[in-house]
Amino acid sequence: MSHTIAIDCMGGDHGPSITVPAAFAFLRKHRKARVILVGQEEKIKPFLATSADCSGRYEIVHAEDVVAMDESPTLALKNKKKSSMRLALNLVKSGQADASISAGNTGALMAMSRFVLKMLPGIDRPALCPVMPTANGHVYMLDLGANVDCNAEHLLQFGIMGAMLASSLDHNERPRVGLLNIGAEDNKGNEVVRGAGILLKASGLNFVGNVEGDGIYRGEADVIVCDGFVGNVALKASEGLARMLGEALKQEFSRSLFSRLLALIALPVLRRFKANHDPRRYNGASLLGLRGLSMKSHGSADAIAFAHALARAYEAASNKAVERIGAKLAESRKQQEPYEPESE
């Protein structure tokens, strides 16, 4: 079955010079897919030279405006109704596209997605859910920055949405759901986290309990739930550590002639390691909780990374991630009693 992805070609640090070539690279690997290139037509056309083998599988929708990377989300929502970001989302709302993707301003994308696509019943807030590498595969972690202050019910909703996304993309009907905490015991964490643990246990999800920070990359769960403040700190700390280790390894291998020779010997292993843990392979975070698919790419993504994000959007559309989330939420609302915080 064919699915269509609407692309905000103007978003991100590089705009059409990255998004358009990435779109054609994606189309070559996904022969049933179609894309709609949304943006300023005169800036898109110079990058169509290599599109001959994709003829008939793409179209251009002209957009007058562009949402700047540092623009206020409120002002973008109010003033940029003809922007490439907004028009891409409109295509999903109208049914002309099955998903939209943007590398642009995260706050503006969140605000526009919520306004245009609306929330699923039973969801209070959309959550940002990327996929991250682990020792034995990958993990979906949410929320990673969209919601700084959450209550227990919000974390339950995140768990349901993350589980349904993992189920649809990985064909795993019972993904393991963990709650990020400062200890494995049920009595650890603040009141919100303890309350979320109670709700998750009763949710019918495959809840494996609390997961400490070091368990993220050990692969102790397929989905890890946390609020946006904790999740974003964990993500940025992980990215910083990865960069530090990479730079330290380069320095050590270039320290002397002998170490440079060792580097040559180890080169095949290092290349495999880099390929397996290349962050570009994990680009593309889903904005979950909406009535349509909206995906966020890293703003600095190159063409390889953006093509991976497009593939992730296509898989989510193909496997009906939104419909799965909606069905599970309806089931959960029938079963779940609201959590009442302990009285002092």
Side-chain angles (χ1 to χ4, degrees), residues 219-241:
E220 293 182 1
D222 303 304
V223 177
I224 291 182
V225 175
C226 57
D227 66 49
F229 183 90
V230 171
N232 193 264
V233 169
L235 175 67
K236 296 298 174 60
S238 301
E239 290 175 343
L241 176 62

Side-chain angles (χ1 to χ4, degrees), residues 80-92:
K80 295 295 179 73
K81 296 178 181 180
K82 295 184 179 181
S83 66
S84 53
M85 182 183 289
R86 179 73 170 264
L87 294 184
L89 290 166
N90 286 344
L91 290 168
V92 176

Side-chain angles (χ1 to χ4, degrees), residues 92-159:
V92 176
K93 181 182 179 180
S94 66
Q96 295 172 262
D98 300 289
S100 70
I101 184 166
S102 175
N105 182 318
T106 302
L109 181 63
M110 180 71 73
M112 287 188 181
S113 297
R114 187 169 183 172
F115 180 82
V116 173
L117 300 178
K118 310 303 181 186
M119 304 299 299
L120 283 168
I123 293 294
D124 299 321
R125 306 173 178 183
L128 191 63
C129 181
V131 60
M132 299 164 62
T134 67
N136 52 13
H138 57 256
V139 62
Y140 298 89
M141 193 166 167
L142 70 164
D143 176 45
L144 260 66
N147 303 284
V148 173
D149 296 308
C150 298
N151 61 33
E153 284 79 9
H154 294 148
L155 296 182
L156 169 64
Q157 293 168 15
F158 296 167

Side-chain angles (χ1 to χ4, degrees), residues 125-288:
R125 306 173 178 183
L128 191 63
C129 181
V131 60
M132 299 164 62
T134 67
N136 52 13
H138 57 256
V139 62
Y140 298 89
M141 193 166 167
L142 70 164
D143 176 45
L144 260 66
N147 303 284
V148 173
D149 296 308
C150 298
N151 61 33
E153 284 79 9
H154 294 148
L155 296 182
L156 169 64
Q157 293 168 15
F158 296 167
I160 292 171
M161 293 190 295
M164 293 304 99
L165 182 68
S167 176
S168 62
L169 294 183
D170 298 340
H171 309 290
N172 175 5
E173 290 304 317
R174 293 284 288 166
R176 298 164 300 153
V177 178
L179 180 63
L180 190 61
N181 204 342
I182 59 172
E185 300 84 0
D186 290 345
N187 63 347
K188 289 295 181 72
N190 58 30
E191 183 179 283
V192 169
V193 173
R194 293 196 305 271
I198 294 171
L199 294 179
L200 286 164
K201 279 183 181 180
S203 67
L205 298 173
N206 184 14
F207 180 55
V208 296
N210 293 333
V211 173
E212 296 183 72
D214 59 348
I216 297 172
Y217 298 105
R218 282 207 299 262
E220 293 182 1
D222 303 304
V223 177
I224 291 182
V225 175
C226 57
D227 66 49
F229 183 90
V230 171
N232 193 264
V233 169
L235 175 67
K236 296 298 174 60
S238 301
E239 290 175 343
L241 176 62
R243 285 193 294 269
M244 184 195 74
L245 292 176
E247 290 301 319
L249 198 59
K250 287 180 183 178
Q251 291 177 11
E252 290 301 323
F253 273 127
S254 61
R255 191 174 295 276
S256 66
L257 177 61
F258 180 69
S259 62
R260 286 195 287 271
L261 290 172
L262 288 177
L264 288 174
I265 296 171
L267 192 58
V269 176
L270 293 172
R271 283 177 174 168
R272 285 198 302 271
F273 178 84
K274 182 179 180 180
N276 290 336
H277 295 84
D278 188 345
R280 296 178 298 183
R281 293 179 57 198
Y282 302 95
N283 186 39
S286 305
L287 294 180
L288 299 182

